[in-house]
Amino acid sequence: MTTPPATTTLPFSSLLLLPPAVCSSAASRPLVRNPAAGVGHGGVRWRGGGRRRRGWRGGCRAAVVEEAGAQEDGVLLPKEGEDEAASGGRYDWREEWYPLYLAKEVPGDAALPLTVFDRQLVLYRDADGVLRCHQDRCPHRLAKLSEGQLVDGKLECLYHGWQFDGEGKCVKIPQLPEGGKIPRNACARNYEVRESQGVVWVWMSESNPPDERKLPWFEPYARPGFTDLSTVHELPYDHSILLENLMDPAHVPISHDRTDWTAKREDAQPLFFEVTERTARGFAGYWGRQRTPHLRNLLRFEAPCVLTNTLEFVDKDGKEQCFSAHFLCRPAGQGRSMLLVRFGSTASSPFAKVLPSWYFHQNACKVFEQDMGFLSSQNEVLLREKVPTKELYLNLRSSDTWVAEYRRWMDRAGHGMPYYFGHSTLSPPPVPAVVEQAPAGAVAGMSASFPAKGGVGSTHAPNPTSRYFRHVVHCKGCRDTVKKYTSLKNAFAALAAAAVAAAILAANRQWKAVLLASAAALAAASYACSWVLSLITTNFIRMHRRL
């Protein structure tokens, strides 16, 4: 039986990677880790306990229905007696690999400032193209090394010119007298990084060497013919809210109605969930729509910030195909997150071959902008109320199973993080976030470097609500497209003006008509370039909220 892609319940514009029709008779195969790593996903389960609900402060009982229904079959609440088996010791957020960036987007001639929770890092490539990562702080006077430049593959602090090699060791101090020795402790803290399947990962532990077994590895990317569409987005809310949103398929038909040709409001319906695995490092299970129970997506969350959604299917030719969406959500500080989103498939799509990559990128930006308003407000409410999510959320069994699972996992692991909001417990940030702003002005604009600052034209201070700073400055392809279409727009406009001037001066009526027609065509071409630029750089605004 053939089913159109609109019924596959996959999120966002990812379905453009699928063929026009897929067969729905496939069984889902779980993802496995790199066999070389020697670690698989265990089936250890944990217990959340049958905690007593407290009333919502507004007088309404929050999520009582969810709690009572969950206790009947253990879908939302883990089974009793499995708490200790899944704990695996106290969770430490430092003993993990975090996704820093897409390897192809790391600039070869500039330093890139990034953060993991409150740790500021600088990523760059040395003279041999090897990825290097240090603490983003010069040991001399604490200036940001990311504000500096690369000199012969060495990172130079722009304050006093101290230079550091790939291991963080200071190799040059211009102010030292002749024969003077560089102090032994004049070094930048080094972090181990790895490039795996197109993603740069950083090991954050200060006391233990990198655990290669924990380095994420995605089996679908090793399959023959597997291709992906990957983008980077910086978002103005906490990574836990981002993860919660990405593992919530129920919102897609409503929030993203007809954005990606697959989400439709009329498709909103009850969902089914089957939790098959709970461990100290996350959970996994199947989900789908109750109207199409034969289509089962496999969702897996793995600490600290990896979410995958996979659909296995058989195409119309009887060939097994795989679609997988990978969401790598790095905590980038209070109220900030960085998302590396990757949609991949073994099946090819004619849309992906015909449409340019920037079109898919802008569509992904549009999807995140459709969510941004209520996710940012959700972030504000959690920080203001300072109570666990069970006091605020009204979770439904038919839509919010993964959300409840994730917040309960936070109860288990959150105390090993700088801050967190769990289902029953929380640890809010101890101090308010420090919001950094780049200086304004022509000099600051010229000195700002891609891809972190993007200071060009009249734009100087990074604005996390702007599509330009959320995506374009992180994407070489979109930046190049913006430059190309800006040049074309200006060239077409200049030629149109010249054609009009020539038409005015022309004595022959026939030439006047030809020149004016040419001016109109050139003006239309300039407008088309402006439309493309607007599509790439302008935020989506819902029509019913337009002021």
Side-chain angles (χ1 to χ4, degrees):
M1 184 178 72
T2 301
T3 307
T7 64
T8 56
T9 70
L10 288 168
F12 311 152
S13 58
S14 54
L15 289 175
L16 295 178
L17 294 173
L18 292 175
V22 298
C23 181
S24 60
S25 61
S28 297
R29 289 182 297 192
L31 297 180
V32 298
R33 296 184 66 85
N34 188 345
V39 176
H41 292 293
V44 181
R45 306 171 74 88
W46 48 263
R47 174 179 62 86
R51 298 180 182 89
R52 185 177 179 181
R53 297 293 298 190
R54 291 164 55 191
W56 197 19
R57 291 187 297 175
C60 175
R61 289 290 180 183
V64 174
V65 174
E66 172 266 327
E67 193 85 11
Q71 290 174 348
E72 293 178 1
D73 56 13
V75 173
L76 296 188
L77 283 179
K79 294 181 179 179
E80 296 289 335
E82 296 175 345
D83 201 7
E84 296 77 9
S87 64
R90 180 178 175 82
Y91 182 79
D92 187 348
W93 72 273
R94 302 171 189 84
E95 303 294 317
E96 298 284 7
W97 293 96
Y98 289 83
L100 280 182
Y101 225 57
L102 291 176
K104 66 179 181 180
E105 303 294 354
V106 177
D109 58 353
L112 179 65
L114 301 166
T115 57
V116 177
F117 281 115
D118 57 348
R119 302 293 176 85
Q120 295 180 330
L121 310 177
V122 55
L123 179 69
Y124 66 98
R125 294 187 184 273
D126 63 16
D128 298 322
V130 178
L131 288 163
R132 304 291 187 176
C133 184
H134 310 311
Q135 184 180 23
D136 195 7
R137 177 191 298 179
C138 180
H140 178 212
R141 297 269 288 279
L142 308 183
K144 281 194 170 186
L145 293 174
S146 59
E147 295 288 344
Q149 58 187 341
L150 297 180
V151 180
D152 299 326
K154 300 177 182 63
L155 184 57
E156 181 184 79
C157 178
L158 202 58
Y159 199 1
H160 294 91
W162 290 29
Q163 292 183 5
F164 302 86
D165 66 12
E167 300 299 325
K169 180 182 178 182
C170 184
V171 295
K172 180 179 179 180
I173 298 180
Q175 294 79 19
L176 276 180
E178 186 176 352
K181 292 184 178 181
I182 296 177
R184 185 175 300 178
N185 59 348
C187 57
R189 167 165 170 65
N190 192 53
Y191 288 88
E192 292 284 345
V193 291
R194 299 286 188 274
E195 180 180 341
S196 176
Q197 298 181 304
V199 176
V200 181
W201 301 84
V202 62
W203 178 255
M204 293 302 298
S205 178
E206 301 175 355
S207 55
N208 295 320
D211 186 347
E212 304 291 344
R213 299 173 302 172
K214 287 185 175 182
L215 185 64
W217 188 86
F218 305 110
E219 184 271 337
Y221 281 79
R223 298 188 185 186
F226 194 87
T227 57
D228 77 293
L229 177 71
S230 302
T231 56
V232 182
H233 305 268
E234 192 168 358
L235 299 166
Y237 39 83
D238 187 73
H239 86 289
S240 66
I241 292 178
L242 173 60
L243 275 166
E244 182 184 280
N245 172 250
L246 294 171
M247 61 178 65
D248 173 23
H251 85 283
V252 175
I254 303 298
S255 300
H256 310 306
D257 179 27
R258 289 170 173 80
T259 296
D260 56 6
W261 310 333
T262 62
K264 299 178 181 179
R265 294 182 60 86
E266 53 268 29
D267 287 338
Q269 59 188 272
L271 305 176
F272 67 84
F273 300 90
E274 178 187 352
V275 182
T276 60
E277 179 181 324
R278 293 187 182 98
T279 75
R281 293 183 51 75
F283 55 87
Y286 295 96
W287 69 274
R289 297 176 177 177
Q290 290 192 0
R291 297 176 190 170
T292 53
H294 52 281
L295 292 174
R296 286 158 49 91
N297 295 263
L298 172 64
L299 181 137
R300 180 180 297 280
F301 166 71
E302 186 171 1
C305 48
V306 175
L307 180 69
T308 62
N309 189 84
T310 304
L311 176 68
E312 306 269 0
F313 59 91
V314 176
D315 62 20
K316 60 183 179 180
D317 298 323
K319 184 178 179 181
E320 289 190 7
Q321 303 286 5
C322 170
F323 175 85
S324 191
H326 302 275
F327 304 102
L328 312 179
C329 310
R330 171 165 50 85
Q334 296 179 36
R336 293 174 54 204
S337 56
M338 179 75 80
L339 171 64
L340 280 59
V341 57
R342 314 187 75 187
F343 296 120
S345 176
T346 54
S348 60
S349 168
F351 292 105
K353 296 177 180 178
V354 175
L355 297 175
S357 60
W358 61 260
Y359 178 83
F360 298 106
H361 289 206
Q362 66 82 28
N363 197 68
C365 289
K366 182 178 180 180
V367 167
F368 294 120
E369 286 155 8
Q370 289 173 337
D371 288 341
M372 191 184 303
F374 48 77
L375 294 183
S376 297
S377 64
Q378 180 183 354
N379 202 138
E380 294 173 4
V381 171
L382 288 175
L383 288 174
R384 183 176 63 249
E385 298 288 338
K386 292 183 173 61
V387 294
T389 59
K390 76 172 184 179
E391 303 295 328
L392 300 170
Y393 289 9
L394 184 63
N395 288 330
L396 300 178
R397 285 173 46 81
S398 57
S399 63
D400 305 313
T401 293
W402 301 138
V403 173
E405 289 285 341
Y406 176 61
R407 290 300 176 180
R408 285 191 167 92
W409 177 82
M410 280 288 196
D411 288 336
R412 300 292 309 162
H415 290 289
M417 299 179 183
Y419 47 86
Y420 80 99
F421 286 84
H423 177 74
S424 302
T425 61
L426 79 160
S427 177
V431 293
V434 176
V435 180
E436 297 183 355
Q437 295 292 337
V443 176
M446 288 185 290
S447 65
S449 61
F450 282 113
K453 297 287 191 295
V456 291
S458 59
T459 305
H460 306 293
N463 178 4
T465 63
S466 165
R467 181 182 293 190
Y468 182 84
F469 286 105
R470 283 186 293 99
H471 171 69
V472 176
V473 297
H474 298 290
C475 179
K476 292 179 182 178
C478 287
R479 290 201 308 274
D480 291 342
T481 300
V482 167
K483 291 179 182 178
K484 179 179 71 175
Y485 278 92
T486 299
S487 299
L488 287 174
K489 180 193 72 171
N490 294 336
F492 286 137
L495 290 173
V500 170
I504 294 174
L505 297 177
N508 188 295
R509 287 188 176 182
Q510 185 176 2
W511 276 108
K512 283 181 180 289
V514 170
L515 289 170
L516 288 175
S518 299
L522 290 167
S526 179
Y527 175 81
C529 291
S530 297
W531 177 79
V532 171
L533 291 171
S534 176
L535 204 61
I536 297 174
T537 59
T538 304
N539 280 20
F540 165 80
I541 300 176
R542 295 188 186 277
M543 295 302 297
H544 67 273
R545 294 184 60 193
R546 188 179 296 278
L547 300 179

